[in-house]
Amino acid sequence: MLRNSRIRFLTTNINKKGGCISVRKPRVVVLGGGYGGLITVSRLQKLVGVNEADITLVNKNDYHYETTWLHEASAGTLHHDKARYQIKDVIDNSRVNFVKNTVVAINKDEKKIVLENSELHYDYLVVALGSQPETFGIKGLKEYAFGITNINSSRQLREHIEYQFATYNTEEVKRDERLTIVVGGAGFTGIEFLGELANRVPQLCKEYDIDNKKVRIVCVEAAPTALPGFDPELVDYAVNHLQRKGVDFMIGTAIKECTEKGIIVAKDDQMEEIKADTVVWAAGVRGNNVVEEAGFENMRGRVKVDEFLRAPGHDDVYIIGDCSLVINEEINRPYPPTAQIAMQQGETCAKNLSVSIREQGEMSGFKPEIKGAVASLGEHDAVGVVFGKKLVGSKASFMKKMIDNRALYMVGGAPLVIKKGKFNIL
Amino acid sequence: MLRNSRIRFLTTNINKKGGCISVRKPRVVVLGGGYGGLITVSRLQKLVGVNEADITLVNKNDYHYETTWLHEASAGTLHHDKARYQIKDVIDNSRVNFVKNTVVAINKDEKKIVLENSELHYDYLVVALGSQPETFGIKGLKEYAFGITNINSSRQLREHIEYQFATYNTEEVKRDERLTIVVGGAGFTGIEFLGELANRVPQLCKEYDIDNKKVRIVCVEAAPTALPGFDPELVDYAVNHLQRKGVDFMIGTAIKECTEKGIIVAKDDQMEEIKADTVVWAAGVRGNNVVEEAGFENMRGRVKVDEFLRAPGHDDVYIIGDCSLVINEEINRPYPPTAQIAMQQGETCAKNLSVSIREQGEMSGFKPEIKGAVASLGEHDAVGVVFGKKLVGSKASFMKKMIDNRALYMVGGAPLVIKKGKFNIL
């Protein structure tokens, strides 16, 4: 069987001494060095031998970042370097060819990846390109709102907020909207960012000689509750905690428009303008537009994959992470895109790839094993469910840090946990 | 004589039990908690007894800042809190009444100070309000250029530069002018700021994943040399040092206009636009507009004081520091305004005030004792003359730090040096 597999990738090499037929190894190309892509590569490099496959990982940056830690980097409570690490430090560089480049297009008919200034051919493709912000067509959000999207956007947001505080006292006529921060969305990212922001604001006030009372933090959420999908008791805990720290909630309120001056919201047909020099959009993600443009059947950039994580009709294309759609059959709705699922998919994907490459063994069906979800509320508080148990306060916060450390461990083992882990435990 | 002095400030207090005449102590009001004002107060509180005078110090902020350290705070190489200290920590609060307020006007005929929301009457006044930026009417500088003027402006400039670096990589089309910094003026402040900036830029590049080569620092100076007034050998050393660190000098080049996009310069009738998102104006200061508006004879807010540091025709008004003008008779030109002179004036002013208050003793004529001048070129390099000796490199840098520490010692003694002093000596 192993020989069979190789025969599929026969190629002709002609050297000066004469023609000869050599066997070409299958080329596996993994797009994206996020949770899904990195786990796939780190598992695959162990599962298949050096003679069995060529593995190439393509990523826009030479680093991986912890998407689920960006709310901290954005608020400035954790340095962004703590939330990223070099990809070359966690892959086997003798086994994996790392290409730092941006994916422009997937040509699935020619089995080709178009990069910014080169091309790559694949026999097996793993699409793990992650998500993009979804603005639902709300006017002005793309132009005026900041995002908690990646390292670049997070440190820009951190510096933008700091610049507003730094400028406040330089102006003769004080503009209080410099100190108003609107967060669009009370979902996971929005709530976690608010928790960090509430801790960061007093530091900024001290740094720039500003009265805390001048600062206003407003969270606008269109849904009828914060943290939709969470247990109501946990939602109450989170909202009360943030309110006590000075966050105003406008629940059941939709952002109609974002302008240079702030936002316009609507509730029960009442329109209101909130002047704010900082608007953060944290209310939704979609799959990657490259997936859409490649012509896979998709819903907002997410592809409903088969049980083996392959794109329907494309047995050579695996799609995992935020670009994939997996249905939770218990409630007949998609699982929300999380790091947890992406990493589990990476494990399954690597196993199934090795079966495909060897044409041997049995493919594994993917079934998410949801261990829980914990939303942090700043450094020492959180709410969540872990193994079916509701947790709040320092216990939840402890679990959250263990979850964060586990993500590091999954990719880089103990050395990475020691280097980047969270040990600020009360 | 002491009694005579008191009789001058007789006042009538009428209480319920009947009229009585009481003796009022002379009121000394010191405007400004900079180098001159603070030294005046710290000396005066020792020179005159508690029954001899009421001393009031008025300052905009509750802190003093080291004007001569602001280039570091502006570049971000020294935290602004290291460059300031609380005024209440260095004055005798049982002797001096500290008023945190902004001086709006001096009414010398009514011997009255108008503050933002109150008034103060004085018998003796010390004007030590410091300098303001002089833009020489160059269009757009006030609107678009940053200044190294005070704590507020310095931390705003620091954050502005950092925000440009933080934003660079978030934009699909890279705008290199985000990383272009123009410094107007190669005088003392300009050169010292460039020295810090040249050290700061590599740190910013590392923080924000930017290639050092993308950054451009340009210094534009209208005069035919950098550091006018300095020994040519020292000027060469400074310019070469900064050029090696990547600073472009445009000497003998005038800034014609500052716009939202950068500056327009002219040399030999050739006009050129330099696109830059950061323009820093460090090319000149003038006295305080309050001094001008009070009707003292002045040249750009600076009053040519008599030998005892009093405003001509106003024996009750002392003017010291950057608002005063003292002629260097050797060259028949004014001494440049420096912290060194301001502090020496503060000493003389306090002595003369005590003579005035007591109507006893002899007034001291002021004669600056110029010990030297050292311009820093970053943390470990400098150029200057100390006690007539030319110094460059680490020796000059050491002397610069000793000068900085001495300023702390003059006001707050050893405890302040320990708290805020510079001990980062190679």
Side-chain angles (χ1 to χ4, degrees):
Chain A
M1 283 291 263
L2 189 58
R3 287 197 67 223
N4 278 358
S5 134
R6 285 192 186 166
I7 287 164
R8 288 187 302 145
F9 305 106
L10 280 180
T11 185
T12 306
N13 278 348
I14 296 170
N15 60 26
K16 283 182 184 168
K17 290 181 183 167
C20 76
I21 289 171
S22 71
V23 173
R24 185 172 62 68
K25 291 181 277 182
R27 293 164 302 193
V28 180
V29 173
V30 179
L31 305 181
Y35 294 108
L38 264 197
I39 291 285
T40 302
V41 166
S42 72
R43 298 302 178 265
L44 192 63
Q45 68 189 6
K46 286 176 195 156
L47 285 172
V48 300
V50 63
N51 295 316
E52 289 182 283
D54 276 331
I55 307 169
T56 299
L57 172 64
V58 181
N59 195 50
K60 197 174 181 170
N61 307 302
D62 51 13
Y63 56 83
H64 162 90
Y65 57 86
E66 302 287 327
T67 310
T68 60
W69 303 15
L70 290 177
H71 59 284
E72 294 169 79
S74 301
T77 47
L78 182 85
H79 192 272
H80 60 260
D81 280 341
K82 282 285 274 182
R84 64 173 172 176
Y85 48 80
Q86 292 295 309
I87 287 173
K88 66 172 175 42
D89 290 351
V90 294
I91 58 172
D92 179 347
N93 294 281
S94 68
R95 289 288 292 116
V96 178
N97 174 35
F98 175 64
V99 176
K100 184 190 162 193
N101 213 317
T102 300
V103 176
V104 176
I106 299 168
N107 184 332
K108 57 187 165 45
D109 300 322
E110 295 179 30
K111 300 183 133 207
K112 192 174 81 177
I113 305 301
V114 182
L115 303 176
E116 264 187 350
N117 36 29
S118 60
E119 289 183 352
L120 278 176
H121 290 265
Y122 65 84
D123 298 304
Y124 294 107
L125 180 66
V126 179
V127 181
L129 286 166
S131 59
Q132 292 179 335
E134 171 63 271
T135 54
F136 304 109
I138 299 169
K139 202 178 151 189
L141 276 182
K142 273 187 191 152
E143 293 79 5
Y144 302 116
F146 290 84
I148 302 173
T149 311
N150 51 41
I151 293 285
N152 285 330
S153 76
S154 292
R155 61 194 174 188
Q156 185 195 30
L157 171 53
R158 174 192 78 196
E159 291 304 316
H160 170 81
I161 292 172
E162 187 147 3
Y163 182 69
Q164 303 313 313
F165 278 72
T167 300
Y168 185 75
N169 273 329
T170 65
E171 291 169 321
E172 276 199 35
V173 181
K174 303 279 178 280
R175 293 178 60 249
D176 285 355
E177 53 266 45
R178 280 215 187 271
L179 309 179
T180 300
I181 302 167
V182 168
V183 177
F188 221 88
T189 307
I191 290 293
E192 290 200 314
F193 178 63
L194 287 165
E196 300 301 322
L197 199 59
N199 286 350
R200 178 70 179 136
V201 159
Q203 296 170 357
L204 286 169
C205 286
K206 189 158 181 278
E207 177 85 357
Y208 296 104
D209 309 323
I210 289 168
D211 181 356
N212 263 275
K213 293 188 201 82
K214 296 278 180 195
V215 181
R216 194 178 166 210
I217 304 176
V218 186
C219 176
V220 182
E221 169 61 58
T225 174
L227 285 174
F230 259 61
D231 181 283
E233 202 182 326
L234 298 179
V235 175
D236 278 355
Y237 182 96
V239 169
N240 286 336
H241 173 93
L242 293 171
Q243 280 174 334
R244 266 202 316 278
K245 292 209 159 194
V247 178
D248 289 340
F249 280 91
M250 301 177 80
I251 301 292
T253 306
I255 295 184
K256 288 292 169 195
E257 189 181 340
C258 183
T259 68
E260 212 176 349
K261 290 180 181 167
I263 55 163
I264 294 158
V265 297
K267 186 177 186 173
D268 307 331
D269 292 338
Q270 289 277 328
M271 302 285 265
E272 189 191 336
E273 186 188 10
I274 301 173
K275 286 191 178 164
D277 282 7
T278 307
V279 176
V280 183
W281 181 244
V285 292
R286 64 197 311 290
N288 200 288
N289 64 308
V290 168
V291 170
E292 254 173 333
E293 288 156 15
F296 297 108
E297 198 180 313
N298 73 89
M299 282 155 61
R300 297 199 304 213
R302 300 179 73 193
V303 177
K304 195 173 153 187
V305 289
D306 69 16
E307 62 170 323
F308 305 122
L309 301 174
R310 296 176 304 193
H314 299 273
D315 285 358
D316 50 355
V317 179
Y318 290 80
I319 302 185
I320 62 172
D322 294 359
C323 290
S324 72
L325 201 71
V326 178
I327 300 294
N328 181 347
E329 281 168 11
E330 282 176 34
I331 54 172
N332 199 29
R333 288 189 56 190
Y335 284 102
T338 62
Q340 187 177 195
I341 287 181
M343 288 191 288
Q344 291 177 8
Q345 287 180 322
E347 308 243 11
T348 303
C349 178
K351 275 186 218 157
N352 289 349
L353 274 170
S354 74
V355 171
S356 297
I357 289 165
R358 294 175 175 157
E359 289 188 333
Q360 189 178 357
E362 209 157 298
M363 302 278 273
S364 307
F366 176 71
K367 184 142 179 55
E369 191 191 332
I370 305 300
K371 300 190 169 80
V374 182
S376 73
L377 302 169
E379 197 179 354
H380 296 303
D381 213 334
V383 292
V385 175
V386 182
F387 294 116
K389 206 177 161 201
K390 279 193 268 182
L391 293 175
V392 299
S394 57
K395 277 184 196 167
S397 178
F398 175 82
M399 284 313 300
K400 178 73 177 178
K401 284 165 193 164
M402 291 307 103
I403 291 166
D404 286 348
N405 291 341
R406 186 170 181 274
L408 294 171
Y409 184 80
M410 295 269 289
V411 175
L416 192 60
V417 178
I418 289 161
K419 207 166 155 192
K420 304 278 178 177
K422 293 183 176 171
F423 305 107
N424 49 340
I425 288 155
L426 269 182
Chain B
M1 282 291 264
L2 189 56
R3 287 198 67 224
N4 279 357
S5 135
R6 288 194 183 164
I7 287 164
R8 288 187 302 145
F9 304 103
L10 279 182
T11 186
T12 308
N13 279 347
I14 297 170
N15 60 25
K16 284 183 182 168
K17 290 181 182 170
C20 76
I21 289 171
S22 71
V23 174
R24 185 172 61 68
K25 290 181 279 182
R27 294 164 299 196
V28 180
V29 173
V30 179
L31 305 181
Y35 294 109
L38 263 198
I39 290 285
T40 302
V41 166
S42 73
R43 299 303 177 265
L44 192 64
Q45 69 190 7
K46 286 175 194 156
L47 283 171
V48 301
V50 65
N51 296 317
E52 289 182 284
D54 276 332
I55 307 170
T56 299
L57 172 64
V58 181
N59 196 50
K60 197 174 181 170
N61 307 303
D62 51 15
Y63 56 84
H64 162 92
Y65 58 87
E66 303 286 328
T67 309
T68 62
W69 304 15
L70 290 177
H71 59 284
E72 295 169 80
S74 301
T77 49
L78 183 86
H79 192 271
H80 59 260
D81 279 341
K82 280 287 273 185
R84 65 174 173 176
Y85 47 81
Q86 291 295 308
I87 286 173
K88 68 173 174 40
D89 290 349
V90 293
I91 58 173
D92 180 345
N93 293 283
S94 69
R95 289 289 290 115
V96 179
N97 174 33
F98 175 64
V99 176
K100 184 190 162 192
N101 214 319
T102 301
V103 177
V104 176
I106 299 168
N107 184 333
K108 58 188 165 44
D109 301 323
E110 294 179 29
K111 300 184 137 210
K112 192 174 82 177
I113 304 301
V114 182
L115 302 176
E116 265 188 347
N117 35 29
S118 60
E119 289 184 351
L120 279 175
H121 289 265
Y122 65 83
D123 298 305
Y124 295 107
L125 179 67
V126 179
V127 181
L129 287 166
S131 59
Q132 291 178 336
E134 171 64 273
T135 53
F136 305 110
I138 298 170
K139 202 176 152 190
L141 277 181
K142 273 186 192 152
E143 293 79 6
Y144 302 115
F146 291 84
I148 301 173
T149 311
N150 51 42
I151 292 286
N152 285 331
S153 77
S154 293
R155 59 193 175 188
Q156 185 194 31
L157 171 53
R158 175 192 77 196
E159 291 303 317
H160 170 80
I161 292 172
E162 188 146 3
Y163 182 68
Q164 302 314 313
F165 278 72
T167 300
Y168 185 74
N169 273 329
T170 65
E171 291 170 322
E172 275 199 35
V173 181
K174 302 281 178 278
R175 293 178 60 251
D176 286 354
E177 53 264 45
R178 282 217 187 269
L179 310 178
T180 300
I181 302 168
V182 168
V183 177
F188 221 88
T189 307
I191 290 293
E192 290 199 315
F193 178 63
L194 288 166
E196 299 302 322
L197 198 59
N199 286 349
R200 178 71 179 136
V201 161
Q203 296 170 358
L204 287 169
C205 286
K206 188 156 180 279
E207 177 85 357
Y208 296 104
D209 309 323
I210 289 169
D211 181 358
N212 262 275
K213 294 187 200 85
K214 294 281 181 194
V215 182
R216 194 177 164 208
I217 305 176
V218 186
C219 176
V220 182
E221 169 61 59
T225 173
L227 285 174
F230 258 60
D231 181 283
E233 202 182 326
L234 299 179
V235 175
D236 278 355
Y237 183 96
V239 169
N240 286 336
H241 172 93
L242 293 171
Q243 280 174 335
R244 265 199 318 276
K245 292 209 158 195
V247 178
D248 289 340
F249 281 93
M250 302 179 80
I251 301 293
T253 306
I255 294 183
K256 288 292 168 194
E257 191 181 339
C258 182
T259 69
E260 214 175 344
K261 289 179 183 170
I263 55 163
I264 294 158
V265 297
K267 185 177 189 175
D268 308 331
D269 293 337
Q270 289 278 327
M271 303 286 266
E272 189 191 335
E273 185 187 11
I274 301 172
K275 285 191 178 163
D277 282 7
T278 306
V279 177
V280 183
W281 182 243
V285 293
R286 64 196 313 288
N288 199 289
N289 64 308
V290 167
V291 169
E292 256 174 331
E293 287 156 15
F296 297 108
E297 197 179 315
N298 73 88
M299 283 155 60
R300 299 200 302 213
R302 301 179 71 192
V303 176
K304 195 175 152 187
V305 290
D306 70 16
E307 62 172 320
F308 305 122
L309 301 174
R310 296 176 304 194
H314 298 275
D315 285 358
D316 51 355
V317 179
Y318 290 80
I319 302 186
I320 63 173
D322 295 358
C323 291
S324 73
L325 199 72
V326 178
I327 300 292
N328 180 347
E329 281 168 10
E330 282 175 34
I331 53 170
N332 198 32
R333 288 189 54 188
Y335 284 102
T338 62
Q340 186 176 194
I341 287 181
M343 287 191 288
Q344 291 177 8
Q345 287 179 324
E347 307 243 10
T348 303
C349 177
K351 276 186 217 157
N352 289 349
L353 274 170
S354 73
V355 172
S356 297
I357 289 165
R358 291 174 177 159
E359 289 189 332
Q360 191 179 354
E362 210 157 298
M363 302 278 270
S364 306
F366 175 71
K367 187 142 178 52
E369 192 190 332
I370 306 300
K371 298 191 169 82
V374 182
S376 72
L377 302 168
E379 196 180 355
H380 295 303
D381 213 334
V383 292
V385 175
V386 181
F387 294 119
K389 206 176 162 205
K390 278 193 269 183
L391 293 175
V392 298
S394 58
K395 276 184 194 166
S397 177
F398 175 82
M399 284 312 300
K400 178 73 179 181
K401 283 164 193 166
M402 291 307 102
I403 291 166
D404 286 348
N405 289 342
R406 186 170 182 276
L408 294 171
Y409 184 81
M410 296 269 290
V411 175
L416 193 59
V417 178
I418 289 162
K419 207 165 153 191
K420 303 280 177 177
K422 293 183 177 173
F423 306 106
N424 49 340
I425 288 156
L426 270 182

